[in-house]
Amino acid sequence: DSFHNFLAELPKCEHHLHLEGCLSPSLTFKLAAKNNIKLPSKEKKPEYESVETLEKRYEHFDNLQDFLDCYYLALDAVITKEDFEMLGWEYFTTAHADGVKHAEVFFDPQSHTDRGIPFATVVEGFNAACERAEKELGITSQLIMCFLRHLPASKAATTMQSAIDGGYFNQQQGKDRVIAGLGLDSSEVGFRPELFKEQYVLGKELGLHRTAHGGEEGDPSYISGALDSLHCERIDHGIKLTQDPELLARIVKEEILLTVCPLSNVCLQAVNEVGEVPIRKFLQEGVKFSINSDDPAYFGGYILENYCAVQKAFNLSKEEWKVIVQNSINGSWTGQQRKDELL
Ligand code: ADE
Ligand code: ZN
Protein backbone atom coordinates (compact mmCIF):
# COMPACT_ATOMS: atom_id res chain seq x y z
CA ASP A 1 0.00 0.00 0.00
CA SER A 2 0.98 3.66 -0.02
CA PHE A 3 2.48 3.59 3.48
CA HIS A 4 4.79 0.81 2.34
CA ASN A 5 5.93 3.04 -0.52
CA PHE A 6 6.46 5.88 1.92
CA LEU A 7 8.68 3.65 4.09
CA ALA A 8 10.51 2.24 1.07
CA GLU A 9 11.38 5.71 -0.20
CA LEU A 10 12.66 7.17 3.07
CA PRO A 11 16.39 7.96 2.75
CA LYS A 12 17.77 5.38 5.16
CA CYS A 13 21.01 5.29 7.11
CA GLU A 14 22.01 1.96 8.58
CA HIS A 15 24.24 1.88 11.69
CA HIS A 16 23.89 -1.65 12.99
CA LEU A 17 24.68 -4.25 10.39
CA HIS A 18 27.22 -7.04 10.69
CA LEU A 19 28.61 -7.84 7.23
CA GLU A 20 29.13 -11.41 8.45
CA GLY A 21 25.43 -11.41 9.29
CA CYS A 22 24.66 -11.23 5.56
CA LEU A 23 26.01 -14.75 4.99
CA SER A 24 22.86 -16.58 3.95
CA PRO A 25 22.65 -20.39 3.74
CA SER A 26 22.79 -20.19 -0.06
CA LEU A 27 25.89 -17.97 -0.07
CA THR A 28 27.47 -20.22 2.60
CA PHE A 29 27.09 -23.28 0.38
CA LYS A 30 28.14 -21.38 -2.73
CA LEU A 31 31.40 -20.23 -1.12
CA ALA A 32 32.06 -23.63 0.47
CA ALA A 33 31.73 -25.28 -2.95
CA LYS A 34 33.95 -22.70 -4.61
CA ASN A 35 36.61 -23.13 -1.91
CA ASN A 36 36.26 -26.89 -2.02
CA ILE A 37 35.56 -27.29 1.69
CA LYS A 38 33.06 -29.34 3.59
CA LEU A 39 31.11 -27.53 6.30
CA PRO A 40 31.41 -27.40 9.19
CA SER A 41 35.14 -27.95 9.14
CA LYS A 42 35.53 -29.14 12.74
CA GLU A 43 32.62 -31.37 13.77
CA LYS A 44 29.70 -33.05 12.10
CA LYS A 45 26.42 -31.15 12.18
CA PRO A 46 23.29 -32.46 10.48
CA GLU A 47 22.01 -28.96 9.65
CA TYR A 48 24.84 -28.62 7.12
CA GLU A 49 23.25 -31.28 4.92
CA SER A 50 21.87 -28.70 2.46
CA VAL A 51 20.81 -25.08 1.99
CA GLU A 52 17.31 -26.11 3.07
CA THR A 53 18.39 -27.79 6.31
CA LEU A 54 20.52 -24.79 7.19
CA GLU A 55 17.62 -22.44 6.47
CA LYS A 56 15.51 -24.62 8.75
CA ARG A 57 18.14 -24.32 11.52
CA TYR A 58 18.03 -20.51 11.25
CA GLU A 59 14.27 -20.41 11.78
CA HIS A 60 14.64 -20.53 15.55
CA PHE A 61 17.28 -19.29 18.00
CA ASP A 62 16.99 -19.75 21.77
CA ASN A 63 19.00 -16.62 22.55
CA LEU A 64 22.05 -14.58 21.47
CA GLN A 65 24.53 -17.40 22.17
CA ASP A 66 22.54 -19.98 20.22
CA PHE A 67 22.62 -17.62 17.23
CA LEU A 68 26.32 -16.79 17.64
CA ASP A 69 27.22 -20.50 17.61
CA CYS A 70 25.66 -20.74 14.12
CA TYR A 71 27.09 -17.43 12.95
CA TYR A 72 30.72 -18.31 13.73
CA LEU A 73 30.44 -21.84 12.30
CA ALA A 74 29.21 -20.74 8.86
CA LEU A 75 32.10 -18.29 8.46
CA ASP A 76 34.48 -21.16 7.68
CA ALA A 77 33.19 -20.87 4.11
CA VAL A 78 34.55 -17.32 3.69
CA ILE A 79 38.25 -17.37 2.84
CA THR A 80 39.58 -15.15 0.05
CA LYS A 81 39.51 -11.39 -0.46
CA GLU A 82 36.96 -11.99 -3.22
CA ASP A 83 34.75 -13.93 -0.77
CA PHE A 84 34.73 -10.99 1.64
CA GLU A 85 33.97 -8.62 -1.22
CA MET A 86 31.12 -10.88 -2.35
CA LEU A 87 29.69 -10.96 1.18
CA GLY A 88 29.89 -7.18 1.39
CA TRP A 89 28.30 -6.84 -2.03
CA GLU A 90 25.44 -9.11 -0.93
CA TYR A 91 24.71 -6.49 1.71
CA PHE A 92 24.99 -3.40 -0.46
CA THR A 93 22.80 -4.65 -3.31
CA THR A 94 19.98 -5.58 -0.93
CA ALA A 95 20.40 -2.40 1.09
CA HIS A 96 20.20 -0.38 -2.12
CA ALA A 97 16.89 -2.02 -3.00
CA ASP A 98 15.64 -1.08 0.50
CA GLY A 99 16.51 2.61 0.10
CA VAL A 100 19.73 2.73 2.15
CA LYS A 101 21.81 5.79 1.22
CA HIS A 102 24.52 5.61 3.87
CA ALA A 103 25.72 2.61 5.87
CA GLU A 104 28.15 2.26 8.76
CA VAL A 105 28.79 -1.45 8.86
CA PHE A 106 30.39 -3.76 11.40
CA PHE A 107 32.89 -6.48 10.73
CA ASP A 108 34.53 -8.96 13.12
CA PRO A 109 38.17 -9.41 12.08
CA GLN A 110 38.88 -11.80 14.95
CA SER A 111 36.36 -14.35 13.74
CA HIS A 112 38.59 -14.65 10.66
CA THR A 113 42.12 -14.04 11.95
CA ASP A 114 41.46 -16.68 14.64
CA ARG A 115 41.08 -19.26 11.86
CA GLY A 116 44.18 -18.13 9.99
CA ILE A 117 42.81 -15.56 7.53
CA PRO A 118 45.11 -12.51 7.27
CA PHE A 119 43.71 -9.25 8.69
CA ALA A 120 44.44 -7.50 5.37
CA THR A 121 42.34 -10.03 3.39
CA VAL A 122 39.30 -9.26 5.53
CA VAL A 123 39.59 -5.46 5.51
CA GLU A 124 40.55 -5.17 1.87
CA GLY A 125 37.76 -7.47 0.74
CA PHE A 126 35.09 -5.62 2.69
CA ASN A 127 36.57 -2.26 1.73
CA ALA A 128 36.41 -3.22 -1.96
CA ALA A 129 32.67 -3.82 -1.56
CA CYS A 130 32.30 -0.38 0.06
CA GLU A 131 34.18 1.28 -2.81
CA ARG A 132 32.06 -0.51 -5.39
CA ALA A 133 28.85 0.42 -3.54
CA GLU A 134 29.74 4.08 -3.69
CA LYS A 135 30.66 3.96 -7.39
CA GLU A 136 27.84 1.78 -8.67
CA LEU A 137 25.01 2.36 -6.18
CA GLY A 138 25.76 5.79 -4.72
CA ILE A 139 25.77 4.38 -1.17
CA THR A 140 28.33 6.04 1.08
CA SER A 141 29.71 3.82 3.81
CA GLN A 142 32.20 3.32 6.58
CA LEU A 143 33.63 0.25 8.28
CA ILE A 144 33.41 -0.25 12.05
CA MET A 145 35.89 -2.78 13.43
CA CYS A 146 34.40 -4.82 16.27
CA PHE A 147 36.22 -6.63 19.04
CA LEU A 148 34.72 -9.96 20.07
CA ARG A 149 33.97 -9.57 23.77
CA HIS A 150 34.15 -13.30 24.51
CA LEU A 151 37.87 -13.25 23.60
CA PRO A 152 40.51 -11.88 26.00
CA ALA A 153 41.26 -8.15 25.90
CA SER A 154 44.85 -9.05 24.93
CA LYS A 155 43.46 -10.38 21.61
CA ALA A 156 41.68 -7.06 21.06
CA ALA A 157 45.03 -5.33 21.52
CA THR A 158 46.57 -7.56 18.82
CA THR A 159 43.69 -6.75 16.47
CA MET A 160 44.08 -3.03 17.14
CA GLN A 161 47.79 -3.29 16.37
CA SER A 162 47.08 -5.08 13.06
CA ALA A 163 44.85 -2.21 11.99
CA ILE A 164 47.44 0.38 13.01
CA ASP A 165 50.32 -1.48 11.33
CA GLY A 166 48.30 -1.88 8.12
CA GLY A 167 47.49 1.84 8.04
CA TYR A 168 43.77 1.07 8.00
CA PHE A 169 42.85 3.91 10.35
CA ASN A 170 44.38 6.55 8.10
CA GLN A 171 41.57 8.55 6.53
CA GLN A 172 42.37 9.56 3.01
CA GLN A 173 41.92 13.15 1.96
CA GLY A 174 38.31 14.02 1.23
CA LYS A 175 37.14 10.47 1.65
CA ASP A 176 35.87 8.81 4.77
CA ARG A 177 36.60 5.16 4.09
CA VAL A 178 38.67 2.30 5.49
CA ILE A 179 38.08 1.83 9.24
CA ALA A 180 36.25 4.78 10.81
CA GLY A 181 35.28 3.42 14.20
CA LEU A 182 35.41 0.76 16.88
CA GLY A 183 32.61 -1.54 18.00
CA LEU A 184 32.17 -4.33 20.53
CA ASP A 185 30.00 -7.37 19.92
CA SER A 186 29.43 -11.09 20.57
CA SER A 187 28.30 -12.60 23.92
CA GLU A 188 27.31 -9.73 26.19
CA VAL A 189 26.47 -10.99 29.69
CA GLY A 190 29.63 -11.66 31.70
CA PHE A 191 31.87 -9.81 29.25
CA ARG A 192 31.76 -6.28 30.57
CA PRO A 193 32.59 -3.24 28.45
CA GLU A 194 35.24 -2.09 30.96
CA LEU A 195 37.49 -4.98 29.82
CA PHE A 196 38.11 -3.13 26.54
CA LYS A 197 38.78 0.31 27.97
CA GLU A 198 42.41 0.44 26.92
CA GLN A 199 41.68 -0.15 23.22
CA TYR A 200 38.85 2.39 23.19
CA VAL A 201 40.98 5.07 24.86
CA LEU A 202 43.62 4.44 22.22
CA GLY A 203 40.96 4.58 19.51
CA LYS A 204 39.73 7.91 20.80
CA GLU A 205 43.29 9.27 20.71
CA LEU A 206 43.56 8.05 17.12
CA GLY A 207 40.38 9.95 16.20
CA LEU A 208 38.18 6.89 15.75
CA HIS A 209 34.45 6.87 16.39
CA ARG A 210 33.21 4.56 19.12
CA THR A 211 30.16 2.41 19.69
CA ALA A 212 29.44 -0.84 21.55
CA HIS A 213 26.66 -3.36 21.84
CA GLY A 214 24.94 -2.89 25.19
CA GLY A 215 21.62 -3.62 26.82
CA GLU A 216 20.67 -6.29 24.28
CA GLU A 217 20.57 -9.07 26.88
CA GLY A 218 22.66 -7.32 29.54
CA ASP A 219 21.31 -4.97 32.20
CA PRO A 220 21.64 -1.16 31.93
CA SER A 221 25.07 -1.20 33.61
CA TYR A 222 26.41 -2.57 30.31
CA ILE A 223 25.17 0.64 28.70
CA SER A 224 26.54 3.03 31.32
CA GLY A 225 29.83 1.10 31.31
CA ALA A 226 30.14 1.64 27.55
CA LEU A 227 29.54 5.37 28.01
CA ASP A 228 31.84 5.85 31.02
CA SER A 229 34.72 3.51 30.18
CA LEU A 230 34.63 3.31 26.40
CA HIS A 231 33.51 6.88 25.66
CA CYS A 232 30.91 5.58 23.23
CA GLU A 233 29.01 8.00 21.01
CA ARG A 234 26.34 5.42 20.23
CA ILE A 235 24.94 2.27 21.87
CA ASP A 236 23.99 -0.73 19.77
CA HIS A 237 20.58 -2.14 20.80
CA GLY A 238 20.18 -0.43 24.19
CA ILE A 239 16.62 -1.71 24.62
CA LYS A 240 17.20 -2.54 28.31
CA LEU A 241 17.55 1.21 28.90
CA THR A 242 13.90 1.32 29.96
CA GLN A 243 14.91 -0.45 33.20
CA ASP A 244 16.86 2.63 34.33
CA PRO A 245 15.01 5.98 34.04
CA GLU A 246 18.01 8.00 35.24
CA LEU A 247 20.26 6.50 32.61
CA LEU A 248 17.53 7.10 30.03
CA ALA A 249 17.51 10.79 30.97
CA ARG A 250 21.29 10.88 30.55
CA ILE A 251 21.08 9.27 27.08
CA VAL A 252 18.55 11.94 26.07
CA LYS A 253 20.65 14.77 27.49
CA GLU A 254 23.90 13.56 25.91
CA GLU A 255 22.12 12.78 22.62
CA ILE A 256 23.46 9.24 22.44
CA LEU A 257 21.94 7.43 19.46
CA LEU A 258 20.66 3.89 20.01
CA THR A 259 20.89 1.56 17.03
CA VAL A 260 17.77 -0.54 17.52
CA CYS A 261 17.19 -3.85 15.68
CA PRO A 262 13.56 -4.98 16.11
CA LEU A 263 13.52 -8.24 14.13
CA SER A 264 16.80 -9.29 15.75
CA ASN A 265 15.34 -8.68 19.21
CA VAL A 266 12.40 -10.95 18.39
CA CYS A 267 14.54 -13.70 16.79
CA LEU A 268 16.97 -13.77 19.72
CA GLN A 269 14.09 -13.66 22.21
CA ALA A 270 15.17 -10.41 23.85
CA VAL A 271 11.46 -9.51 23.40
CA ASN A 272 8.38 -11.60 22.62
CA GLU A 273 7.20 -9.40 19.76
CA VAL A 274 8.16 -6.19 17.94
CA GLY A 275 5.54 -4.29 19.96
CA GLU A 276 7.69 -4.88 23.07
CA VAL A 277 10.66 -3.00 21.59
CA PRO A 278 10.38 0.41 23.35
CA ILE A 279 9.91 2.42 20.14
CA ARG A 280 6.95 4.44 21.42
CA LYS A 281 8.61 5.10 24.78
CA PHE A 282 11.83 6.27 23.07
CA LEU A 283 9.86 8.64 20.80
CA GLN A 284 7.91 10.05 23.74
CA GLU A 285 10.98 10.54 25.93
CA GLY A 286 13.15 11.98 23.15
CA VAL A 287 15.63 9.11 22.99
CA LYS A 288 17.28 9.24 19.56
CA PHE A 289 17.47 5.94 17.69
CA SER A 290 17.86 4.40 14.26
CA ILE A 291 16.20 1.20 13.03
CA ASN A 292 18.53 -1.47 11.66
CA SER A 293 18.75 -5.07 10.54
CA ASP A 294 21.71 -6.47 12.58
CA ASP A 295 22.16 -9.87 10.85
CA PRO A 296 19.61 -9.94 8.02
CA ALA A 297 20.53 -13.39 6.67
CA TYR A 298 19.58 -14.85 10.05
CA PHE A 299 16.70 -12.68 11.25
CA GLY A 300 14.34 -12.79 8.29
CA GLY A 301 14.74 -9.35 6.82
CA TYR A 302 16.85 -6.42 5.75
CA ILE A 303 16.24 -2.83 6.90
CA LEU A 304 12.94 -2.18 5.09
CA GLU A 305 11.42 -5.27 6.70
CA ASN A 306 12.43 -3.82 10.05
CA TYR A 307 10.81 -0.47 9.21
CA CYS A 308 7.64 -2.30 8.10
CA ALA A 309 7.55 -4.47 11.24
CA VAL A 310 7.80 -1.33 13.40
CA GLN A 311 4.99 0.29 11.44
CA LYS A 312 2.81 -2.78 11.83
CA ALA A 313 3.39 -2.87 15.58
CA PHE A 314 3.21 0.87 16.36
CA ASN A 315 1.24 2.51 13.53
CA LEU A 316 3.48 5.60 13.59
CA SER A 317 2.60 8.83 11.78
CA LYS A 318 4.59 10.20 8.85
CA GLU A 319 5.81 12.93 11.19
CA GLU A 320 7.16 10.35 13.62
CA TRP A 321 8.95 8.57 10.78
CA LYS A 322 10.51 11.85 9.71
CA VAL A 323 11.90 12.28 13.22
CA ILE A 324 13.37 8.76 13.12
CA VAL A 325 14.94 9.32 9.71
CA GLN A 326 16.33 12.75 10.63
CA ASN A 327 17.86 11.37 13.81
CA SER A 328 19.40 8.51 11.79
CA ILE A 329 20.98 10.96 9.35
CA ASN A 330 22.20 13.34 12.04
CA GLY A 331 23.57 10.47 14.15
CA SER A 332 25.70 9.21 11.23
CA TRP A 333 29.46 9.58 11.25
CA THR A 334 29.66 11.45 8.00
CA GLY A 335 30.27 15.07 7.09
CA GLN A 336 27.63 17.81 7.17
CA GLN A 337 27.67 17.97 3.39
CA ARG A 338 26.55 14.35 3.03
CA LYS A 339 23.97 14.85 5.80
CA ASP A 340 22.54 17.86 3.99
CA GLU A 341 22.19 15.78 0.81
CA LEU A 342 20.17 13.20 2.73
CA LEU A 343 18.04 15.50 4.89
N1 ADE B 1 27.29 -10.33 16.41
C1 ADE B 1 26.46 -10.36 15.37
N2 ADE B 1 25.22 -10.01 15.75
C2 ADE B 1 25.27 -9.72 17.06
C3 ADE B 1 24.34 -9.29 18.03
N3 ADE B 1 23.05 -9.08 17.73
N4 ADE B 1 24.76 -9.12 19.29
C4 ADE B 1 26.03 -9.35 19.61
N5 ADE B 1 26.95 -9.76 18.75
C5 ADE B 1 26.59 -9.93 17.48
ZN1 ZN C 1 24.63 -6.50 16.41
Side-chain angles (χ1 to χ4, degrees):
D1 60 359
S2 78
F3 215 95
H4 184 274
N5 289 341
F6 168 77
L7 294 177
E9 281 162 19
L10 289 172
K12 297 170 195 72
C13 294
E14 185 146 59
H15 304 130
H16 189 153
L17 178 285
H18 302 264
L19 288 173
E20 290 88 348
C22 299
L23 185 61
S24 63
S26 66
L27 186 54
T28 304
F29 276 85
K30 184 170 146 183
L31 291 176
K34 180 187 79 76
N35 291 321
N36 213 358
I37 57 165
K38 180 124 180 59
L39 283 168
S41 50
K42 290 194 189 73
E43 48 192 316
K44 243 191 134 36
K45 293 254 178 187
E47 61 262 35
Y48 278 94
E49 190 73 35
S50 67
V51 173
E52 290 70 30
T53 56
L54 196 56
E55 282 172 347
K56 190 95 193 127
R57 173 64 187 89
Y58 292 178
E59 279 174 15
H60 175 91
F61 300 109
D62 294 335
N63 50 38
L64 174 59
Q65 193 59 51
D66 186 36
F67 153 71
L68 289 171
D69 292 343
C70 293
Y71 169 91
Y72 294 124
L73 214 54
L75 290 176
D76 283 350
V78 190
I79 295 173
T80 67
K81 181 188 165 200
E82 289 67 35
D83 297 349
F84 287 95
E85 181 173 356
M86 201 187 294
L87 182 53
W89 191 242
E90 175 96 353
Y91 169 65
F92 284 112
T93 48
T94 317
H96 180 66
D98 277 5
V100 171
K101 306 293 182 200
H102 176 77
E104 296 170 2
V105 295
F106 297 131
F107 73 112
D108 292 329
Q110 291 166 303
S111 59
H112 314 297
T113 54
D114 250 30
R115 54 191 177 88
I117 310 286
F119 186 89
T121 300
V122 181
V123 185
E124 287 171 19
F126 283 146
N127 196 61
C130 293
E131 300 269 347
R132 188 173 169 203
E134 180 151 5
K135 252 193 237 111
E136 296 183 26
L137 308 173
I139 300 179
T140 49
S141 64
Q142 306 202 340
L143 289 171
I144 302 172
M145 180 176 86
C146 289
F147 301 119
L148 297 181
R149 62 202 310 163
H150 69 273
L151 297 179
S154 61
K155 291 280 182 75
T158 307
T159 303
M160 191 73 179
Q161 198 57 48
S162 299
I164 293 171
D165 293 345
Y168 295 114
F169 291 147
N170 300 342
Q171 308 283 302
Q172 284 147 321
Q173 193 70 38
K175 187 167 109 170
D176 40 19
R177 182 62 52 61
V178 195
I179 301 171
L182 299 181
L184 185 64
D185 64 1
S186 195
S187 322
E188 181 181 15
V189 176
F191 302 96
R192 301 205 51 84
E194 292 81 1
L195 293 166
F196 299 90
K197 183 181 168 113
E198 212 177 308
Q199 299 320 315
Y200 272 73
V201 168
L202 175 57
K204 190 176 181 191
E205 284 168 8
L206 292 171
L208 296 170
H209 288 292
R210 299 160 310 280
T211 188
H213 283 51
E216 178 183 19
E217 287 185 342
D219 67 52
S221 74
Y222 285 84
I223 300 173
S224 53
L227 297 178
D228 294 333
S229 294
L230 309 184
H231 309 282
C232 284
E233 303 154 80
R234 298 203 296 238
I235 296 292
D236 302 311
H237 293 295
I239 55 168
K240 296 290 195 286
L241 185 61
T242 51
Q243 295 174 1
D244 185 341
E246 260 178 57
L247 183 60
L248 188 143
R250 175 184 175 189
I251 294 270
V252 172
K253 182 155 173 278
E254 297 182 9
E255 299 189 77
I256 304 292
L257 185 90
L258 305 184
T259 67
V260 176
C261 308
L263 292 178
S264 164
N265 293 155
V266 174
C267 287
L268 301 187
Q269 320 228 26
V271 297
N272 292 308
E273 54 184 28
V274 174
E276 282 180 21
V277 179
I279 297 286
R280 177 79 63 196
K281 168 111 180 152
F282 287 164
L283 283 169
Q284 281 167 349
E285 305 277 333
V287 175
K288 295 187 173 176
F289 63 90
S290 57
I291 295 172
N292 309 272
S293 61
D294 206 1
D295 302 285
Y298 294 83
F299 303 150
Y302 275 74
I303 193 169
L304 180 55
E305 297 244 26
N306 278 273
Y307 274 54
C308 290
V310 166
Q311 182 57 17
K312 190 158 178 248
F314 293 97
N315 194 26
L316 302 181
S317 67
K318 288 191 176 178
E319 287 311 308
E320 287 170 314
W321 277 108
K322 282 187 183 141
V323 169
I324 294 170
V325 166
Q326 276 172 5
N327 287 341
S328 306
I329 295 169
N330 285 320
S332 295
W333 295 334
T334 186
Q336 193 58 45
Q337 190 185 332
R338 181 65 178 141
K339 290 181 186 176
D340 288 341
E341 286 170 10
L342 298 175
L343 280 165

